[in-house]
Amino acid sequence: MTPPQRQRRYPSPEVVEPVPKPEGEGGGKRPPERLYVVAGPDGERADLDLVTLIVARADPPPSATPEQTAMLRLTTAPLSVAELSAYLNLPFSVVTVLLTEMLTAELVQARAPIVRQALPDRSLLEAVMHGLQRL
């Protein structure tokens, strides 16, 4: 016994004509570039971690790659390496290679994150405690 066949709600394929593609367009999307093309062959890296802040020191030179130009435009205000990686949709390793090239060319400046003290100030803890007791 065969299962019942459902009726199609849409017209059959013979009735619908395909939309012609404009000439010169090979499919609409470019193939993705390999990461080693973006990062370069040497792959040297500076000692950067996810929370290192990056700030642009100069405008993008004409010889900069599109990724480097985008980084320089994004880092007019300090951004972490993790934020740059997310905004550019590139892996952390590729971003560190690109930033290493830009650091050696002095296009950007890397700032270490602010390290908090291991123990909080005793006077601050006492002030918080007294404030909570007054409530």
Side-chain angles (χ1 to χ4, degrees):
M1 185 167 162
T2 60
Q5 299 293 320
R6 299 177 83 185
Q7 297 290 328
R8 294 190 182 265
R9 294 183 187 176
Y10 304 104
S12 64
E14 301 89 49
V15 177
V16 178
E17 294 181 19
V19 179
K21 291 183 180 179
E23 291 188 28
E25 191 172 304
K29 293 185 179 180
R30 291 185 346 183
E33 291 189 26
R34 301 278 183 197
L35 295 178
Y36 62 83
V37 173
V38 174
D42 55 354
E44 296 176 10
R45 295 183 190 164
D47 187 24
L48 300 171
D49 47 344
L50 290 171
V51 293
T52 303
L53 296 176
I54 305 296
V55 183
R57 296 178 75 187
D59 291 331
S63 62
T65 64
E67 291 82 11
Q68 290 175 339
T69 304
M71 278 189 200
L72 287 171
R73 289 187 180 149
L74 284 172
T75 56
T76 54
L79 278 179
S80 69
V81 178
E83 290 173 313
L84 278 173
S85 177
Y87 287 141
L88 296 174
N89 200 20
L90 290 172
F92 174 74
S93 58
V94 173
V95 172
T96 55
V97 172
L98 291 171
L99 285 173
T100 301
E101 294 173 2
M102 295 169 67
L103 284 167
T104 56
E106 296 183 356
L107 294 174
V108 295
Q109 177 183 10
R111 296 181 185 172
I114 299 171
V115 179
R116 296 186 178 183
Q117 295 178 350
L119 296 173
D121 186 23
R122 183 178 176 94
S123 62
L124 175 66
L125 290 176
E126 288 176 357
V128 169
M129 185 178 71
H130 292 304
L132 290 173
Q133 287 174 348
R134 286 188 219 154
L135 292 176

